[in-house]
């Protein structure tokens, strides 16, 4: 039976004005990613129609999308079966968003941070080799804007700038496959913000490291850019882990 709110997870955040399809997809995807419906469980279209009070066509479309992500599979003479996590398309931004909404949030953040640590420092190194002068100057200016927004405690603006900063570094690497990771990076940074795993005032070291990356890229110093980006990854995960542990303490932030 589908639970109304996955254990250990916030209610799925749905874009205002989203249609029935989007709301059902968002909730059902979060329920599956949270493990409230175990792998091997069989879904009934009729049960889902009753549960969500939507048409069969809406449910069929939702299941089609979930199947494309590897969360469910239709089997003859069995029905629609929940798939184990190993079958999920873990690079899909929506799957990442649902996993961040689940009780396994820190595991998802850890795995993405490990991925970013493997890729983004090398992307920064490549960017120092390949970026043009205008792009390098814009990256330095972006780091300065991040510093100002961070010091002002403007979380929304800082988030937008942070996403743009990492997007630009990935793009400046000149590697189209690295650039595709920008959607994943955007999801994890937005998730940190949404689940209060980002400090209101960014640590000064984190701000300085972003400036170091930008300046090293502008100076064509790939090794320095690489080291500074590793520092950003390490700093970010240390912050998330600390804030997660504090939130779990009695009387900690909700």
């Amino acid at each position: 039976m589908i639970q109304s709110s996955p254990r250990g997870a916030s209610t799925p955040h749905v874009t205002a004005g989203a249609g029935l399809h989007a709301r059902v997809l968002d909730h059902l995807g979060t329920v599956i990613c949270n493990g409230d419906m175990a792998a091997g469980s069989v879904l009934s279209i009729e049960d889902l129609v009753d549960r969500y009070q939507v048409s069969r066509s809406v449910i069929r479309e939702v299941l089609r999308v979930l199947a494309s992500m590897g969360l469910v599979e239709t089997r003859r003479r069995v029905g629609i079966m929940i798939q184990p996590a190993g079958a999920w398309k873990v690079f899909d931004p929506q799957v990442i968003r649902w996993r961040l909404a689940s009780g396994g949030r820190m595991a998802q953040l850890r795995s993405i941070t490990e991925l970013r640590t493997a890729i983004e420092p090398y992307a920064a190194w490549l960017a120092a080799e390949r970026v043009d002068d205008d792009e390098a100057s814009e990256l330095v200016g972006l780091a300065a804007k991040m510093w100002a927004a961070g010091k002002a405690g403007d979380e929304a603006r800082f988030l937008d700038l942070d996403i743009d900063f990492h997007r630009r570094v990935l793009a400046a690497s000149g590697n189209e496959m690295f650039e595709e990771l920008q959607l994943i990076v955007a999801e994890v940074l937005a998730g940190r913000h949404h689940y209060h795993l980002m400090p209101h005032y960014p640590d000064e070291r984190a701000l300085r490291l972003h400036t170091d990356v930008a300046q090293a890229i502008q100076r064509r110093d790939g090794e320095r850019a690489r080291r500074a980006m590793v520092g950003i990854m390490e700093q970010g995960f240390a912050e998330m882990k600390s804030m997660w542990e504090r939130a779990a303490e009695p009387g900690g932030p909700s």
Side-chain angles (χ1 to χ4, degrees):
M1 182 177 181
I2 302 172
Q3 297 179 14
S4 60
S5 179
R7 62 180 183 276
S10 301
T11 301
H13 49 291
V14 181
T15 304
L20 288 174
H21 170 268
R23 291 199 295 272
V24 175
L25 177 65
D26 199 49
H27 186 264
L28 190 52
T30 306
V31 167
I32 294 172
C33 288
N34 194 57
D36 289 322
M37 301 180 74
S41 300
V42 176
L43 299 177
S44 160
I45 289 178
E46 294 305 325
D47 286 347
L48 293 174
V49 166
D50 290 343
R51 172 68 182 88
Y52 289 108
Q53 294 296 295
V54 295
S55 68
R56 290 173 62 89
S57 62
V58 168
I59 294 300
R60 286 198 186 98
E61 177 60 17
V62 165
L63 293 173
R64 185 193 65 78
V65 174
L66 293 174
S68 75
M69 298 174 179
L71 272 66
V72 303
E73 181 180 84
T74 301
R75 297 188 180 180
R76 291 182 62 185
R77 293 190 292 274
V78 175
I80 301 145
M81 185 174 291
I82 304 295
Q83 295 299 289
W88 302 349
K89 294 186 177 178
V90 294
F91 282 88
D92 189 293
Q94 236 173 337
V95 174
I96 291 170
R97 191 178 312 135
W98 293 333
R99 293 179 73 188
L100 288 174
S102 77
R105 184 174 306 143
M106 279 306 294
Q108 173 69 108
L109 289 168
R110 181 180 293 107
S111 65
I112 294 180
T113 301
E114 289 170 352
L115 172 69
R116 293 180 66 195
T117 302
I119 299 298
E120 288 196 64
Y122 188 55
W125 187 87
L126 286 174
E129 297 287 322
R130 297 172 175 175
V131 73
D132 66 37
D133 291 340
D134 288 343
E135 290 172 331
S137 295
E138 289 173 2
L139 196 60
V140 171
L142 190 57
K145 292 176 183 177
M146 288 180 66
W147 186 285
K151 288 295 186 181
D154 188 341
E155 293 182 79
R157 177 159 174 74
F158 183 84
L159 173 63
D160 289 343
L161 293 169
D162 198 13
I163 290 172
D164 194 26
F165 182 91
H166 290 277
R167 178 190 65 78
R168 286 173 183 253
V169 171
L170 289 166
S173 73
N175 184 305
E176 72 281 3
M177 298 187 79
F178 284 3
E179 189 173 0
E180 280 297 303
L181 294 176
Q182 63 179 285
L183 296 176
I184 292 175
V185 173
E187 282 297 339
V188 73
L189 292 175
R192 284 190 64 191
H193 176 80
H194 184 80
Y195 295 108
H196 310 294
L197 295 171
M198 187 176 286
H200 181 68
Y201 290 96
D203 186 276
E204 188 163 315
R205 179 172 180 269
L207 295 172
R208 187 173 65 251
L209 284 168
H210 282 80
T211 299
D212 288 348
V213 168
Q215 290 179 345
I217 289 173
Q218 186 180 49
R219 294 169 184 168
R220 313 293 174 173
D221 187 341
E223 181 55 27
R224 183 184 171 198
R226 185 195 68 78
R227 289 198 306 268
M229 187 65 84
V230 169
I232 291 173
M233 300 297 108
E234 293 175 344
Q235 174 84 15
F237 191 73
E239 287 175 350
M240 288 186 286
K241 187 171 184 293
S242 175
M243 295 178 79
W244 177 269
E245 289 171 347
R246 286 202 305 272
E249 294 173 355
S254 56

